[in-house]
Amino acid sequence: MAKSDAATPRERYRAQVRTEIKQHAWEQIATAGASALSLNAIAKRMGVSGPALYRYYAGRDELITELIRDAYRSLADAVHAAAGTGADLAGLAHVLRDWALADPQRYFLIYGTPVPGYHAPEEITGISQEIMADLLTACAALEPDAPATPFAAHLAGHRDWAGDHPAPPEALHRALAFWTRLHGMLSLELAGHFTGMGFDPAQLFRAELDDLVARRG
């Protein structure tokens, strides 16, 4: 008789508790930041003992890994879905911004200041590379019409970060420029540094994106 794939009541309960723990973790992060995350504090909020929660997460780092995995998976799926429907570089950029604005704490957990003492496992790096692969494909679709830059030439021999993607050096340069400039703007916007400056951050984002898309070589 084939083994059923349906989750048992115990497994469903475990999944439910783990989800509740993560919800409380996000509330803690929103209030005090990821570095202050505490399983004991979450246990107190849930009305259970600290040791009880360690049956669901072995420690703070395992919980942080789960939160980071969920965040990267959410963004990777959103970017890949857009790429699958033909979104170009500009389209992917707006997916990134919309995702970040929808949940700034989730954005800062993966692109903000690293949590002291925490080191993400390799599987997390693998998910982030999925996002970069879609970005590289979009950049490679924009043909350069100028000689390669010195930095692009440098990237020809320093492309480990791009995995096995076949994008040419010019596309690698464009992808890094896209990644750094747009994340720089998003980080400033979400941290409130544009508040009171009198301009629309969305307009700045579009202007920078237009420049990146028009850039050649």
Side-chain angles (χ1 to χ4, degrees), residues 48-183:
V48 299
S49 68
L53 253 63
Y54 284 88
R55 295 200 298 266
Y56 300 94
Y57 288 99
R60 183 206 67 158
D61 284 6
E62 183 179 335
L63 176 55
I64 291 176
T65 294
E66 185 80 1
L67 297 175
I68 291 176
R69 181 189 296 111
D70 288 352
Y72 267 127
R73 185 75 269 155
S74 172
L75 179 56
D77 288 348
V79 169
H80 194 61
T85 60
D88 58 8
L89 187 61
L92 297 185
H94 286 292
V95 168
L96 170 62
R97 184 170 185 268
D98 290 346
W99 183 89
L101 291 176
D103 193 336
Q105 294 304 325
R106 181 177 57 177
Y107 173 88
F108 281 125
L109 181 63
I110 59 176
Y111 292 119
T113 303
V115 179
Y118 172 79
H119 300 283
E122 287 188 12
E123 63 173 296
I124 301 300
T125 302
I127 301 174
S128 67
Q129 286 180 336
E130 292 179 33
I131 302 169
M132 184 57 74
D134 283 322
L135 172 59
L136 285 168
T137 297
C139 288
L142 298 172
E143 292 293 333
D145 58 9
T149 63
F151 184 60
H154 168 78
L155 289 175
H158 298 80
R159 54 185 299 152
D160 290 351
W161 58 274
D164 58 0
H165 198 286
E170 294 81 4
L172 298 180
H173 188 180
R174 188 194 298 270
L176 283 179
F178 172 98
W179 203 238
T180 54
R181 285 170 63 175
L182 297 192
H183 275 303

